[in-house]
Amino acid sequence: MTRGYVLVTDDFITSFAEWLEDQANLKNKDINVYEVGAGNGELSGKLIEKLNEKEIKNVNIIATDNKDYEGSDYPKQEDHEYTDLVKDLGAVETIWHATKTVDYLIMGWPPLNGYDFNALIAMMHKHINGEIILIGGDDFSSKRNLASEEFYLHFKECENQSFDGDVRANYQVNELEDYPIIGKPYLERCKESGCRCKFTKSKFKQDYVDEVSAERLLDLMI
């Protein structure tokens, strides 16, 4: 889930909301933004507030988190005023069972237990045209290991001047030099024949996607 180190300033939220509106206008359609591992919901909650404040109607935000801390060394976050908007569902299940196209997937400081890589693979199988926004950094290092090594190996940052100028430039970087990047799944660097990036869609679903009942999905409205 999102660690409490993502700095949610008003400048960042304003620029992010306006950038999302621009993308919706460029695509000439409503866009769907899913934040997985949303933690206490502060990032998505403030984005929704800003979208409402600016009367931006063509951007939909959905936040999920299954509160599973297994394999993670991150402390549990305290509840927040936005916690109730976070739907109880895991990252991979959110992507796999989403009833809308995932245009943008947000992950902020994902725990280093592999769920970020599984989310990337799920995006590849289910929403190949969607883009991933990681609030972390652009590589895996001892100083800046803000996502898993597997994730970075299979991720390619996109050249996006508007994102860099509007979103990244307005993010307040902390001492670990985190910042938002945008990109897509990229498999060319992986040489491991048994890596799950080479699994078929059905094999990946069988091994890594939990079943979710139709009734629960209807209740969650994702």
Side-chain angles (χ1 to χ4, degrees):
M1 69 192 298
T2 300
R3 285 198 247 183
Y5 304 116
V6 173
L7 299 177
V8 185
T9 65
D10 188 63
D11 285 347
F12 172 60
I13 291 297
T14 299
S15 63
F16 201 171
E18 291 174 348
W19 181 83
L20 289 170
E21 180 187 27
D22 289 343
Q23 304 318 296
N25 291 336
L26 286 170
K27 296 174 188 289
N28 195 30
K29 72 180 188 78
D30 289 4
I31 62 171
N32 304 301
V33 181
Y34 285 72
E35 184 189 5
V36 294
N40 61 20
E42 183 180 15
L43 175 57
S44 285
K46 289 192 173 179
L47 272 174
I48 291 169
E49 283 185 347
K50 187 61 67 173
L51 293 169
N52 291 337
E53 175 188 318
K54 291 183 168 292
E55 298 184 348
I56 297 171
K57 307 294 186 185
N58 54 1
V59 179
N60 305 310
I61 306 281
I62 294 173
T64 69
D65 194 314
N66 66 356
K67 314 299 186 195
D68 181 4
Y69 294 85
E70 183 177 356
S72 169
D73 60 353
Y74 304 161
K76 181 178 179 180
Q77 288 186 314
E78 297 298 324
D79 285 348
H80 195 279
E81 61 183 294
Y82 305 108
T83 300
D84 288 346
L85 69 83
V86 180
K87 300 174 186 294
D88 182 14
L89 196 63
V92 173
E93 289 70 36
T94 297
I95 297 162
W96 206 268
H97 298 296
T99 57
K100 307 179 181 72
T101 299
V102 180
D103 296 294
Y104 296 99
L105 181 78
I106 299 174
M107 292 191 288
W109 286 57
L112 306 180
N113 58 9
Y115 101 70
D116 53 355
F117 179 44
N118 287 337
L120 179 147
I121 299 299
M123 285 290 289
M124 181 185 73
H125 283 305
K126 296 291 287 188
H127 305 277
I128 190 61
N129 294 318
E131 293 181 280
I132 299 170
I133 297 171
L134 172 72
I135 302 176
D138 60 3
D139 64 7
F140 181 86
S141 68
S142 58
K143 181 178 181 181
R144 202 165 49 235
N145 56 340
L146 306 181
S148 70
E149 189 169 11
E150 286 179 316
F151 175 87
Y152 284 117
L153 179 65
H154 296 83
F155 176 83
K156 185 174 183 179
E157 190 173 355
C158 299
E159 292 186 12
N160 191 313
Q161 292 183 349
S162 67
F163 183 86
D164 290 345
D166 296 337
V167 181
R168 180 168 167 171
N170 284 287
Y171 182 75
Q172 185 175 330
V173 177
N174 71 14
E175 67 276 8
L176 291 179
E177 301 176 9
D178 69 324
Y179 45 78
I181 58 174
I182 186 169
K184 303 191 76 169
Y186 180 73
L187 308 186
E188 300 302 318
R189 289 188 293 263
C190 182
K191 306 303 181 185
E192 294 186 24
S193 59
C195 179
R196 56 188 178 274
C197 73
K198 298 176 175 63
F199 284 10
T200 64
K201 183 177 180 180
S202 60
K203 171 67 172 171
F204 181 81
K205 179 183 179 182
Q206 176 184 330
D207 289 358
Y208 290 99
V209 184
D210 291 340
E211 290 294 330
V212 183
S213 70
E215 291 80 8
R216 183 159 180 244
L217 289 173
L218 183 63
D219 182 58
L220 290 169
M221 297 180 64
I222 64 163

